[in-house]
Amino acid sequence: MSRIDETLAMDRRRFLRAALTGGAVLAVGGGLLAPRLFAAANTPVGKPGKVRLEIFGDDGRDLGAREVPRLVLGNAQWRQRLSPPAFGILRQAGTEQAFTGVYWNLFAPGLYRCAGCGTALYDAATKFHSGTGWPSFYQPIARTNVTQHDDRQFGMQRTAINCACCDGHLGHVFDDGPRPTGLRHCMNSAALHFIPHAA
């Protein structure tokens, strides 16, 4: 079964679950159609246009600021591009279980990029042992490369961090980090791609 067939089968299963649990469905020509699920699979998600990012080479060198097109894809395209854990975090604002991600205890020199679009997000030099079980950084590599917004899910008030280029959910920021910023950018490993610096 191809990845496209797997994605379609998964969307069908999700549709059937929604129908059986009272999700919004519409009868059309003797069949059932879930407008929200159909649109979610095929409609680009996000605001098209350009964004100004600070560009970094894999060696960590700052190559300067540039305007680049935002990466705007439909959910079906994101599912083809991302692993299931990365899709669950980047596109559905999920959170991986503490102490399970591949980067929570990695402290090698390098660069952390967005797993969705490759935007440079964090320099490993700003990573610290937070004891939380998630990769933690005291600042992003460039403020322009991440965005912040209020997250009030699950009865909590938090500040979510997203990639500025593809709007993928990365994690949250808290004010219990070390100097010099006092911040803890608590990220999900599956949302990141680590590029080690050459020795």
Side-chain angles (χ1 to χ4, degrees):
M1 180 181 281
S2 71
R3 291 187 74 175
I4 294 173
D5 291 336
E6 288 174 5
T7 299
L8 291 174
M10 185 179 298
D11 284 343
R12 283 189 208 105
R13 288 192 296 273
R14 193 180 287 149
F15 165 75
L16 290 173
R17 277 198 303 272
L20 292 171
T21 58
V25 295
L26 174 68
V28 177
L32 292 176
L33 173 68
R36 286 179 297 174
L37 294 177
F38 183 79
N42 299 296
T43 304
V45 178
K47 182 179 176 183
K50 292 192 174 182
V51 63
R52 191 168 183 80
L53 300 175
E54 198 70 20
I55 307 301
F56 290 83
D58 285 346
D59 60 359
R61 242 176 349 115
D62 189 340
L63 303 176
R66 285 187 212 150
E67 268 199 352
V68 299
R70 283 191 173 94
L71 181 59
V72 178
L73 302 174
N75 280 335
Q77 293 169 299
W78 280 119
R79 285 186 187 281
Q80 290 177 345
R81 187 180 182 103
L82 300 172
S83 69
F87 181 85
I89 290 164
L90 285 163
R91 308 318 312 170
Q92 297 179 317
T95 298
E96 64 198 6
Q97 191 174 2
F99 303 101
T100 64
V102 295
Y103 301 135
W104 78 269
N105 201 28
L106 176 69
F107 289 92
L111 179 72
Y112 289 86
R113 294 188 178 276
C114 175
C117 67
T119 296
L121 299 173
Y122 294 95
D123 187 323
T126 66
K127 197 167 189 268
F128 65 95
H129 288 278
S130 66
T132 62
W134 288 284
S136 299
F137 306 84
Y138 61 75
Q139 68 186 20
I141 197 164
R143 287 185 188 179
T144 55
N145 291 16
V146 298
T147 61
Q148 299 184 14
H149 64 91
D150 285 340
D151 178 359
R152 296 174 186 263
Q153 291 183 346
F154 312 115
M156 296 183 280
Q157 185 170 354
R158 299 178 292 175
T159 301
I161 298 289
N162 284 32
C163 172
C165 184
C166 70
D167 198 36
H169 172 74
L170 304 169
H172 294 87
V173 63
F174 302 95
D175 60 2
D176 58 2
R179 291 180 180 180
T181 65
L183 299 176
R184 171 171 57 95
H185 285 246
C186 185
M187 301 293 103
N188 290 282
S189 290
L192 305 173
H193 175 65
F194 178 68
I195 308 289
H197 287 168

